[in-house]
Amino acid sequence: MTKVYQTVVALALAGGASALSAQGVLLQGSDPVTIGRGGVGVAFGRSLEAAGQNPALLVTLSEDRAAHVAFGLESQAGSQTAENNQVKFFTSDRNRFLTGFGYGQRLNAGLAWGLKLDEPFQRHGELRTGAPTRFQGDAISLSAHRLEGQASWSPQGRPELSFGLGLGMARIDLELGNTIRAGIPQDPTQPAGVANPYSGLAEVSLRQEGSALSPSWTLGARWALSSRWTVGATIESPLSAKVGLTGRIRRETLSVTADDGFSTPPLGTDARAIQLVGTSGVLTGGGDVRLPARITLGIRQRQSQLLTWEVDVKWMGAGLEMPAFASLETLSGPVGASNRLGSSRASLSVKGMGELTLSRNWLLRIGTGFSTAYRENERVEPLLGGAMQSTFSIGAGYKVWGGELSGGYTYRMDRDMDRKALDGTWDSTGYRPSATKVRVEGSGHQLSIGFRRAF
């Protein structure tokens, strides 16, 4: 027992000692067991929740049929502070409902099938009016809900080996927001010109949203080296779709300034700004949504009847992409965004977990992990993030009602980033970045409860 508790304590200390400091686009999991394990589990046999990550594990289930369902909350919060005034702006639109489902059925000793519903990607947040980085984008809501049918096969005479395949679809939902400033002509119902000069600037927040379906697949393999050691691996497909976007103007955020971008405008500018917006439309941005592929390799050891641990190494590919921001189409011509969300580079994460049997009815789960940055430091911004990330997870299971009731919680943060290219000014000549340093901070939480039962 001493070794067991030493291992658990070591895992907890590793999670607390990681360089904690907004979170990335990749979720730890959608069910409480996976969340409590810190997203680790591609080699964790006899676990229906782990089979949701690696379909090759379906043939290892001890029961003929089993299902689990989970509900929870996924929260992301962030802030940004300009060095010149030390005013901190917090994000809103923080919470999302989280769901998970899994089913597995053994047909015989070497064949099984299943079904899973999860959410592999999630990113959301909205900046307050006046935030220093709003001209670089002021809102994002990205989610992917994945449904896959699964099959698992173990060669005859080789029960230590198994392979799995998942095929299905993922629904990608996206909302992007950006803030622009448009010149206000003296007569907003006519194009600007020599006889109709600009007099003031209208600050307008634009939104574009849409959804699309993308094919999805997962390949998995498992090799039980012995009764105590198991290796597992998965390849998850990238998700890509052309989202049909519709745009709108957030009229409730409309504000005005003088031509210099900060002074009080002349009397009557407010009314002319309302007219300008009334005669303008929104041009949605072009481009696809691309969410990268993942490859995971894990090794698991059942150290004793009471403790099992696993370490996973996950590679996430490059190519994270978003459509361009929307533009405001005025009678004087379009006013476009000052930038576009950049792409990503490949990243690597190392995660570990331990599962401890406390009694006949109680299980304790704990996990920790660290991920490298999936965007260069000079490209990290509040909407897509991308800095180094650390996570700490804890969960518990209780056997009741003929099954297991579980809960899981994950705390995750990215490294704080100080950047000079995020803040900027927008006057009558257009947008230009300033040299003001902005600190971007954030954190994320996942909380879920669920129930699994064999039948």
Side-chain angles (χ1 to χ4, degrees), residues 385-403:
M388 291 187 295
Q389 181 185 97
S390 296
T391 60
F392 175 73
S393 305
I394 192 168
Y398 179 65
K399 295 180 181 178
V400 65
W401 304 321

Side-chain angles (χ1 to χ4, degrees), residues 147-182:
L147 178 65
E148 286 186 358
Q150 300 176 301
S152 180
W153 168 71
S154 182
Q156 187 175 9
R158 298 293 303 274
E160 72 276 12
L161 287 176
S162 63
F163 305 92
L165 171 66
L167 289 175
M169 301 292 291
R171 176 187 169 96
I172 301 173
D173 295 286
L174 177 68
E175 179 178 353
L176 282 177
N178 62 294
T179 298
I180 58 96
R181 281 181 174 175

Side-chain angles (χ1 to χ4, degrees), residues 20-147:
L20 292 178
S21 103
Q23 70 186 52
V25 296
L26 193 63
L27 287 190
Q28 296 288 99
S30 298
D31 63 86
V33 174
T34 305
I35 292 172
R37 291 172 177 169
V40 178
V42 296
F44 207 108
R46 298 187 179 182
S47 169
L48 179 60
E49 290 83 0
Q53 299 187 69
N54 185 356
L57 300 177
L58 282 172
V59 293
T60 70
L61 300 180
S62 56
E63 56 270 1
D64 290 335
R65 291 182 298 173
H68 76 84
V69 63
F71 303 95
L73 180 70
E74 198 274 335
S75 180
Q76 300 181 24
S79 68
Q80 52 185 272
T81 309
E83 187 179 53
N84 58 353
N85 58 21
Q86 291 299 303
V87 176
K88 181 169 285 192
F89 290 84
F90 291 93
T91 60
S92 58
D93 191 28
R94 299 178 177 180
N95 303 317
R96 291 293 185 274
F97 190 57
L98 191 64
T99 58
F101 172 78
Y103 174 81
Q105 181 174 350
R106 287 171 55 90
L107 302 179
N108 53 52
L111 190 63
W113 73 277
L115 188 69
K116 74 164 182 183
L117 172 67
D118 65 353
E119 299 180 32
F121 295 96
Q122 186 76 260
R123 182 76 182 182
H124 50 86
E126 184 173 331
L127 304 180
R128 283 175 46 198
T129 302
T133 68
R134 65 193 183 279
F135 297 128
Q136 301 286 322
D138 62 21
I140 189 171
S141 179
L142 167 69
S143 65
H145 294 77
R146 179 174 58 184
L147 178 65

